[in-house]
Amino acid sequence: MTEKPTMIAFQDVHKYYGDYHALRGITATIRAGEFFSLLGPSGCGKTTLLRTIAGFEGISSGAVMIDGRNMAGVPANQRPTNMVFQSYAIFPHLTVAENVGFGLRKARLPKAELATRVGEALEMVGLKGYGDRAAHALSGGQRQRVALARALILKPKVLLLDEPLSALDKKMREQMQVELIRLQRQVGITFILVTHDQEEALVMSDRIAVMFEGEIAQLADPETLYRRPNSRKVANFIGTMNFLPAEILSEAGGKIEIEAQGFGKLTLEAEQAPGAASGDGAAVGFRPETLTILFEGQTASDRESMAVIEEVVYYGDMTYYDVRLDGTEKPIRISMRNVFGRPVLDIGARTRVAWSPGALVLFQ
Ligand SMILES: Nc1ncnc2c1ncn2[C@@H]1O[C@H](COP(=O)(O)OP(=O)(O)O)[C@@H](O)[C@H]1O
Ligand SMILES: [Mg+2]
């Protein structure tokens, strides 16, 4: 597959608000037609970075390129971007159609053409036939759709979405996530989503930039971020990661020899250490679903350790076990899918645990 051309390029972008260093050297590219997310905790600079694309925020140094063109000095209304705000910014006194057509009012299109364009945009977001409704009478999910239609009608190259789903309840949010993915595939333009919700980012994105304190900590596709986070901080922000202390014994020829508490001596591949790691104070990390509790008669396909169960949390479809491997000080979490006919184990039970060296990640 050929790589898609670059749509956005950040070149060492810095942004100060007075003395406050909000963006600290952002260098990254976003490809044409990509569903890209900026993910990070509140205050890390996601909105600021998004606004530098839109042109609502100037930068202190560096460059923001869109479609090969440096955006320095290019005002927001002359950029090929459009933004959907967290608050939707719907005009309540206008109809749905008037809201959607609002951005086109300067284009002075013939009435019939305007109506066609509005109709197309409404159909795209699943609001066909809603044009004459009063905007103030819409539900949260419908307002969100109107905001999307209003942005898409201008046919931007890049759609910018700042936490567009955060005001919706969980069910509606999950439904809108699926619809946004479908919409992005349909229109084929670049979507850039800001979210603090790691699950939302994993579900929706082709690639994700994880941000902390004005910097990109890791930029990768969802699977790489989840399987091979490059720092403990990224690992902890995305899902649950167990850690056990490890010592690096030797490194040569793309292999890393370690001794990990609870697991013993192991050889890892270099790609299992995506961040720099050396010497003491290292740790191996692993996700709760990469370990398996072995029940009567089952055998490990790879390695096996003994453990004691210290806590059991039953979730219906899943059970989370906190278990302490022999030779370790603190418990780790194992998640098991509950299947028919398999018992849920009790606290204090001794059990065998299956694991694989390939599922481990080495961190400093
Ligand atoms: N207009 C502004 N003036 C001063 N500080 C700001 C301004 N906008 C944002 N900040 C600060 O910059 C940091 C990043 O903000 P923001 O980009 O909104 O973060 P996020 O969207 O990740 O929550 C925060 O500490 C915020 O308080
Ligand atoms: Mg924000």
Side-chain angles (χ1 to χ4, degrees):
M1 209 174 86
T2 54
E3 194 147 292
K4 292 171 181 167
T6 296
M7 178 55 74
I8 311 276
F10 299 108
Q11 297 169 353
D12 198 21
V13 171
H14 288 262
K15 167 74 182 175
Y16 287 87
Y17 291 113
D19 288 342
Y20 184 72
H21 201 175
L23 297 177
R24 305 176 175 216
I26 301 289
T27 296
T29 60
I30 299 172
R31 297 170 193 145
E34 187 165 48
F35 201 126
F36 193 93
S37 294
L38 301 172
L39 170 67
S42 177
C44 72
K46 305 179 296 292
T47 294
T48 301
L49 190 59
L50 199 73
R51 289 170 63 87
T52 70
I53 303 171
F56 299 139
E57 205 72 76
I59 58 176
S60 308
S61 67
V64 176
M65 314 282 293
I66 303 181
D67 209 12
R69 192 167 153 225
N70 193 327
M71 288 292 120
V74 179
N77 62 8
Q78 284 169 37
R79 297 191 182 196
T81 58
N82 215 327
M83 185 121 151
V84 176
F85 295 93
Q86 196 166 2
S87 59
Y88 313 150
I90 297 289
F91 302 116
H93 55 286
L94 300 182
T95 65
V96 167
E98 285 164 349
N99 264 286
V100 173
F102 189 78
L104 280 176
R105 72 198 183 288
K106 281 195 196 126
R108 300 195 183 283
L109 298 178
K111 240 185 171 167
E113 196 185 333
L114 179 65
T116 307
R117 291 272 295 271
V118 169
E120 283 168 1
L122 284 176
E123 184 158 7
M124 227 180 251
V125 299
L127 284 183
K128 192 178 174 185
Y130 280 68
D132 293 332
R133 300 249 185 131
H136 65 78
L138 299 176
S139 71
Q142 289 168 337
R143 278 166 202 243
Q144 178 61 73
R145 287 163 209 254
V146 171
L148 278 167
R150 190 178 54 190
L152 288 168
I153 202 170
L154 298 170
K155 303 193 172 160
K157 287 181 181 167
V158 182
L159 188 68
L160 307 169
L161 302 136
D162 192 355
E163 311 242 12
L165 309 181
S166 61
L168 304 176
D169 64 47
K170 188 172 156 62
K171 258 227 162 89
M172 192 67 216
R173 194 161 67 230
E174 286 172 356
Q175 190 185 330
M176 283 303 292
Q177 286 171 358
V178 175
E179 288 197 27
L180 268 180
I181 298 169
R182 179 189 58 76
L183 189 62
Q184 193 269 339
R185 285 194 191 129
Q186 184 190 333
V187 297
I189 64 172
T190 309
F191 276 36
I192 307 178
L193 173 79
V194 160
T195 180
H196 64 271
D197 179 340
Q198 48 101 11
E199 205 173 278
E200 184 162 293
L202 288 181
V203 168
M204 300 185 70
S205 318
D206 294 314
R207 291 193 308 151
I208 301 168
V210 181
M211 293 180 66
F212 296 119
E213 293 162 18
E215 289 179 299
I216 294 178
Q218 189 169 6
L219 196 170
D221 61 276
E223 197 183 345
T224 303
L225 274 183
Y226 188 78
R227 291 189 53 229
R228 298 281 185 252
N230 66 4
S231 68
R232 295 194 207 199
K233 208 167 170 184
V234 171
N236 280 324
F237 193 74
I238 296 175
T240 304
M241 184 72 99
N242 292 299
F243 296 99
L244 284 171
E247 191 187 345
I248 298 165
L249 304 174
S250 71
E251 268 188 271
K255 309 267 182 203
I256 309 169
E257 202 86 44
I258 65 163
E259 168 129 30
Q261 218 182 70
F263 294 132
K265 277 197 179 144
L266 295 168
T267 305
L268 305 181
E269 304 292 328
E271 57 124 14
Q272 289 175 259
S278 64
D280 310 333
V284 285
F286 45 99
R287 300 293 187 185
E289 69 279 10
T290 62
L291 275 72
T292 309
I293 290 189
L294 293 170
F295 291 85
E296 206 75 31
Q298 289 181 310
T299 50
S301 57
D302 203 336
R303 309 290 183 94
E304 190 176 314
S305 298
M306 287 304 294
V308 62
I309 293 176
E310 296 200 337
E311 188 64 76
V312 180
V313 186
Y314 178 75
Y315 272 89
D317 60 334
M318 305 286 290
T319 301
Y320 291 162
Y321 292 99
D322 289 339
V323 310
R324 202 163 47 74
L325 298 174
D326 286 3
T328 64
E329 284 129 41
K330 65 178 183 76
I332 55 165
R333 174 152 286 194
I334 300 180
S335 64
M336 295 286 291
R337 190 157 287 286
N338 292 326
V339 297
F340 178 72
R342 189 155 77 194
V344 172
L345 298 176
D346 291 326
I347 293 173
R350 267 188 84 67
T351 182
R352 294 176 299 133
V353 170
W355 56 278
S356 292
L360 305 180
V361 186
L362 185 64
F363 296 100
Q364 189 59 40

